[in-house]
Amino acid sequence: SQQGEEDPQALSIQEGENATMNCSYKTSINNLQWYRQNSGRGLVHLILIRSNEREKHSGRLRVTLDTSKKSSSLLITASRAADTASYFCATSNSGGSNYKLTFGKGTLLTVNP
Amino acid sequence: DAGITQSPRHKVTETGTPVTLRCHQTENHRYMYWYRQDPGHGLRLIHYSYGVKDTDKGEVSDGYSVSRSKTEDFLLTLESATSSQTSVYFCAITSGTGSRAEADTQYFGPGTRLTVL
C-alpha cells in the first residue's frame, strides 16, 4: 500500500511563480526523497532529507520535513516551463526491509509560459 | 543518466503468453528493483534483488517472477500475461554502500511499455 500521499494531485501555475507540493506519510521513516518524472521518462532523483533533518535546499528546490506531523513539502521557486512534470515523494521506512522505497501517487505540475 | 537500459522498450503481447523484460546496468550496483506504474497508483514495487541470486517480493508480486544470475542483469518474467499486467515497467538500481541501513537514491531506467491484449 502507498505510504506517501501527495497533495495536490495536480497544480497549474504561471512561469515565475512558486510551486508547493506536500507529502504525508503514515509510519516512521529513515528518510524521505523527492523524484521528478517528465512525461514518458523514468524518474529522476531530486533531493533526500533524513529523519533528523528539518530543511534542505538544492538550487531552486527547498524541502522541509516535519516528523511530528509525518509530512514533507517541496517548494520550487521561480518556476519555469521546463519544471512541468510529475513529482513523487518516496519514503524509506524505519523497521522495514532495508533499501526499499515506498512511493506516493504523485503531483502533476504544469507551468504555463 | 545512470547506466541502466531496459529491453524491450515497447511490447504488445497476447493474454496467456510468457513475457520477459530485461534490465541491464553498468554501475555494478548491488540492489535492483522492478516497479510498475499505473494511472492512479503511482509506482508499486514488484520484486527486488539485493545480490546475485538474492531476490524478494514487493507489494504486487503475484503473477511475476524474477531472476538475477549476474550483477548487471535483472529479469522480470510474466509467466502467463494477463490484461491487468498492461502497464509501464521501470527498473531501478541503488548502490546500497552507505553506512546507514536505509534506502538511498534510486536511479531509474527509461521504462518498458507493455500492452497485453
Side-chain angles (χ1 to χ4, degrees):
Chain A
S1 60
Q2 247 75 25
Q3 157 79 315
E5 193 79 27
E6 290 92 342
D7 170 62
Q9 290 187 351
L11 179 62
S12 181
I13 59 174
Q14 296 299 123
E15 214 166 19
E17 295 180 340
N18 296 341
T20 299
M21 288 158 271
N22 303 297
C23 172
S24 59
Y25 57 91
K26 299 187 178 82
T27 63
S28 295
I29 61 171
N30 291 318
N31 69 54
L32 186 144
Q33 303 177 31
W34 285 92
Y35 289 79
R36 183 186 74 213
Q37 183 181 34
N38 291 90
S39 181
R41 307 289 295 272
L43 278 71
V44 174
H45 180 260
L46 294 176
I47 198 163
L48 180 155
I49 186 166
R50 293 205 158 85
S51 59
N52 60 353
E53 297 174 314
R54 291 296 166 257
E55 188 170 313
K56 279 189 91 166
H57 296 256
S58 177
R60 293 185 295 113
L61 305 181
R62 173 177 165 250
V63 169
T64 61
L65 180 64
D66 186 336
T67 52
S68 67
K69 295 181 179 177
K70 292 186 168 60
S71 68
S72 173
S73 66
L74 170 67
L75 169 67
I76 304 174
T77 60
S79 63
R80 305 166 182 167
D83 294 327
T84 294
S86 291
Y87 292 82
F88 295 87
C89 67
T91 55
S92 167
N93 303 328
S94 58
S97 298
N98 294 340
Y99 299 106
K100 288 201 302 183
L101 289 177
T102 306
F103 285 83
K105 297 178 184 179
T107 292
L108 176 60
L109 172 66
T110 302
V111 181
N112 301 299
Chain B
D1 291 341
I4 311 170
T5 56
Q6 292 185 231
S7 58
R9 294 292 314 280
H10 301 271
K11 185 167 182 71
V12 179
T13 191
E14 294 189 348
T15 298
T17 59
V19 176
T20 296
L21 309 183
R22 180 182 183 233
C23 177
H24 178 78
Q25 60 143 330
T26 58
E27 306 295 324
N28 201 36
H29 281 357
R30 178 181 173 189
Y31 290 81
M32 298 184 76
Y33 308 82
W34 277 108
Y35 294 92
R36 61 178 289 174
Q37 185 176 33
D38 305 287
H41 289 278
L43 264 77
R44 293 180 290 173
L45 182 65
I46 304 171
H47 282 280
Y48 68 104
S49 170
Y50 46 96
V52 173
K53 293 191 168 58
D54 292 322
T55 64
D56 204 352
K57 296 178 181 179
E59 64 175 300
V60 289
S61 59
D62 286 350
Y64 301 94
S65 62
V66 289
S67 66
R68 190 167 177 201
S69 59
K70 298 185 289 186
T71 299
E72 57 265 35
D73 289 325
F74 192 31
L75 304 181
L76 176 70
T77 297
L78 289 65
E79 285 142 26
S80 178
T82 68
S83 58
S84 65
Q85 294 176 311
T86 292
S87 186
V88 181
Y89 291 86
F90 287 99
C91 174
I93 63 175
T94 191
S95 63
T97 56
S99 59
R100 299 170 189 262
E102 60 183 277
D104 209 338
T105 300
Q106 291 188 10
Y107 300 93
F108 283 78
T112 293
R113 184 172 295 276
L114 176 67
T115 302
V116 184
L117 302 176

